[in-house]
Every structure is written in structure tokens, then in C-alpha cells.
């Protein structure tokens, strides 16, 4: 029940923060990208790398995983690997990453309950672990633009299935800005602006313009 006397300044506990979330990147690999038909593959790659740089900017733990890297799908997206140099990539045989002991152990080790999830393909390697993690009490945030399916229908139906189970749809730029949340946070402001300029398209160009005309500290 609403009580106006309880209204106060402060963020919702539902918001993503650098301290309550973990990012899981699933199967961003060449063979999987070849099959993506739900949208522009270059855009998916751009969103994936932008999301990864958001994790790096805020020191959010990241779990990287591939499926059959040496026998079928190829190595993890090089641009993604470059964001996390030396980071372990967990290779699996299972289509459902949540059936891999090493991956689940890596997520559990972070102590975080909010999983920011992206991957290929949406209808298989994303939906299966999303449903599995949700059933076990995790909160799952599906980064739809850093994910892709074999067709628009496959991607959309998989997203709808995850939402029906309780997942939350987000985009990579939404995650980045939700982690920042206040332009006065100078310790991450510069890194956020660099990610925006590199990966946020017209918004990034707007930041370039604002900083050139207004000054280096023009807010995003």
C-alpha cells in the first residue's frame, strides 16, 4: 500500500549496480554469428563489445563461455576477448550453460544474484540457462541487442519465453547508464563517455560534439 510518508530520495533496490550484478557472455563465436538472422550481426557485435566495456568500466565480474570452440564454433569473439585479456573462457559441450559445473561455479563465486545475460543463439544457448537460473532464484536481465537468433521470430519468441518466466529485457546502453546513474560520479564518468563515443552511434557523436563545443565535461 502506498504511504506518502515513506517517500524518500533513493534508488530502487531493483536497479543494477556494480556491486550486485555479474555479466555472463554466452557463445559469441564465429559459427554462431554465421547463423544469426534476427538482425544485423555487426550491430550485435558492437553491442556485445559495448556491454563488455561497461563491465570493465565498473569492475563488474564477467563470465565468458563458449561451446565446442575447437571442434565446431570457433574461438570467442576477438574484440570481446580483448576487453578481458587473460580472462578464462569456459568451454562447454552442453547447449545449456547452466548444466556446466564450471560455469555455474564461476557465477556462484561472484556472490551476485543479478545476472546480466547475453549470447547466441537466443532461442537455445540463451533461453536455456536463463530459465534454469531463474528457477533457482537468480534475477536475469537479458541484453537483447547483444544477443541474436537464427530469425527474427526465433529471437522474439525466445525473449518472450524468458520474460514470461520472469526475466527482464534490457539493452547494452541501458545497462551502461544504469550502472553510472549519476553524471557526478567522476571515477567512472570518463570511461563511460569513451564507451559511448566508441559504441553508441549517433549518441556517441552527440557526446563528441558536446565535448567539442561545450567542454570536456559535458554531461551525456
Amino acid at each position: 500500500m502506498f504511504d506518502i510518508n515513506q517517500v524518500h530520495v533513493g534508488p530502487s533496490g531493483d536497479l543494477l549496480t556494480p556491486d550486485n550484478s555479474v555479466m555472463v557472455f554466452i557463445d559469441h563465436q564465429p559459427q554462431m554469428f554465421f547463423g544469426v538472422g534476427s538482425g544485423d550481426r555487426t550491430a550485435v557485435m558492437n553491442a556485445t563489445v559495448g556491454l563488455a566495456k561497461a563491465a570493465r568500466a565498473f569492475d563488474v565480474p564477467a563470465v565468458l563461455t563458449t561451446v565446442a570452440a575447437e571442434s565446431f564454433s570457433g574461438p570467442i569473439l576477438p574484440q570481446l576477448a580483448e576487453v578481458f585479456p587473460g580472462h578464462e573462457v569456459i568451454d562447454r559441450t552442453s547447449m545449456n550453460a547452466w548444466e556446466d559445473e564450471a560455469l555455474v561455479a564461476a557465477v556462484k563465486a561472484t556472490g551476485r544474484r543479478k545476472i546480466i545475460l547475453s549470447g547466441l543463439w537466443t532461442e537455445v544457448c540463451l533461453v536455456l540457462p536463463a530459465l534454469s537460473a531463474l528457477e533457482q532464484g537468480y534475477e536475469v536481465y537479458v541484453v537483447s541487442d547483444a544477443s541474436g537468433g537464427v530469425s527474427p521470430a526465433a529471437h522474439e519468441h525466445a525473449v518472450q519465453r524468458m520474460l514470461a518466466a520472469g526475466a527482464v529485457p534490457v539493452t547494452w546502453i541501458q545497462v551502461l547508464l544504469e550502472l553510472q546513474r549519476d553524471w557526478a560520479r567522476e571515477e567512472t564518468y570518463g570511461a563511460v563517455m569513451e564507451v559511448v563515443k566508441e559504441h553508441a552511434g549517433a549518441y556517441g557523436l552527440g557526446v563528441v560534439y558536446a565535448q567539442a563545443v561545450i567542454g570536456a565535461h559535458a554531461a551525456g
Side-chain angles (χ1 to χ4, degrees):
M1 181 179 294
F2 174 70
D3 181 356
I4 197 167
N5 295 314
Q6 298 300 315
V7 175
H8 61 281
V9 175
S12 165
D14 288 335
L15 295 179
L16 296 167
T17 73
D19 299 319
N20 68 14
S21 54
V22 53
M23 292 195 193
V24 180
F25 295 85
I26 299 177
D27 304 349
H28 292 93
Q29 300 165 261
Q31 190 65 254
M32 308 309 293
F33 271 108
F34 295 159
V36 170
S38 57
D40 181 70
R41 285 172 285 189
T42 301
V44 176
M45 287 188 279
N46 176 71
T48 300
V49 178
L51 181 66
K53 290 181 179 179
R56 184 177 65 185
F58 291 94
D59 199 24
V60 174
V63 178
L64 311 180
T65 183
T66 55
V67 63
E70 294 186 2
S71 60
F72 180 74
S73 301
I76 196 167
L77 182 68
Q79 299 94 316
L80 177 57
E82 287 175 7
V83 178
F84 305 109
H87 199 293
E88 177 188 10
V89 179
I90 300 169
D91 192 48
R92 321 176 319 277
T93 60
S94 62
M95 286 182 279
N96 181 4
W98 210 258
E99 294 181 45
D100 185 88
E101 291 186 8
L103 182 132
V104 175
V107 174
K108 288 177 64 177
T110 70
R112 314 295 179 88
R113 187 181 177 189
K114 296 180 185 291
I115 300 176
I116 302 169
L117 196 65
S118 64
L120 309 176
W121 298 322
T122 320
E123 67 271 27
V124 183
C125 298
L126 193 62
V127 70
L128 300 181
L131 296 178
S132 302
L134 284 165
E135 185 178 72
Q136 295 181 20
Y138 281 91
E139 299 173 23
V140 176
Y141 296 77
V142 179
V143 191
S144 60
D145 57 352
S147 306
V150 299
S151 69
H155 177 74
E156 181 60 27
H157 293 169
V159 170
Q160 290 301 321
R161 185 181 180 187
M162 289 184 279
L163 301 193
V168 179
V170 292
T171 63
W172 82 267
I173 192 71
Q174 177 183 351
V175 172
L176 174 71
L177 299 183
E178 190 165 326
L179 293 173
Q180 176 68 21
R181 215 173 66 239
D182 188 337
W183 294 121
R185 292 180 174 165
E186 296 182 356
E187 64 273 17
T188 51
Y189 176 85
V192 168
M193 288 295 95
E194 288 305 309
V195 176
V196 166
K197 287 188 286 186
E198 291 173 5
H199 298 282
Y203 173 30
L205 285 177
V207 171
V208 172
Y209 174 81
Q211 291 184 341
V213 175
I214 302 172
H217 297 287

